[in-house]
Amino acid sequence: KDSQEPARWTPCCYTGSAEQDCMHRKPKEITSGAYSSDGFEISAHNYPSNADVIDGWSNSAGHRVVLLSEGVWGELGVDEALGCSNHNSYFHCWFGQEKASDDICDETG
């Protein structure tokens, strides 16, 4: 809801492993604890439409298992909540362990 100035998050680079605590804690960190469960995101850039980015993720073996909660991604139990956004050709989908309360995000978030 509020500005990220100054940024209230720390960088976390994905190394190819589903076992990254810094990645799973991001939902808590960027909401200042308002979202209390673990989660993670997948992102893409420069696709012409929402449908095209979903196709791109679906055709990527690494992203497909995330979308379908297969393997270690299913074991994380983060398929209870999903939120996606597209802003200036940046696409993000967040996966979480529980549904967020309505006051965490607004329509511009």
Side-chain angles (χ1 to χ4, degrees):
K1 282 185 154 184
D2 59 344
S3 170
Q4 288 283 321
E5 296 296 331
R8 62 176 189 258
W9 54 271
T10 55
C12 176
C13 296
Y14 178 63
T15 62
S17 170
E19 302 302 321
Q20 274 188 264
D21 287 339
C22 68
M23 179 174 63
H24 300 152
R25 290 189 306 263
K26 278 299 151 196
K28 294 176 200 170
E29 184 180 343
I30 65 173
T31 63
S32 299
Y35 186 82
S36 60
S37 293
D38 287 349
F40 57 88
E41 76 171 325
I42 56 175
S43 299
H45 181 56
N46 282 337
Y47 280 84
S49 71
N50 294 343
D52 289 320
V53 77
I54 295 295
D55 285 344
W57 284 330
S58 295
N59 290 319
S60 162
H63 290 96
R64 183 175 177 80
V65 295
V66 173
L67 288 173
L68 299 177
S69 295
E70 295 178 341
V72 295
W73 298 103
E75 294 168 14
L76 294 172
V78 291
D79 57 356
E80 292 301 314
L82 170 67
C84 296
S85 69
N86 168 8
H87 181 70
N88 292 334
S89 295
Y90 286 91
F91 298 83
H92 307 282
C93 279
W94 278 93
F95 300 81
Q97 290 178 323
E98 64 184 44
K99 183 181 182 299
S101 64
D102 291 337
D103 61 346
I104 290 179
C105 298
D106 63 19
E107 293 178 10
T108 63

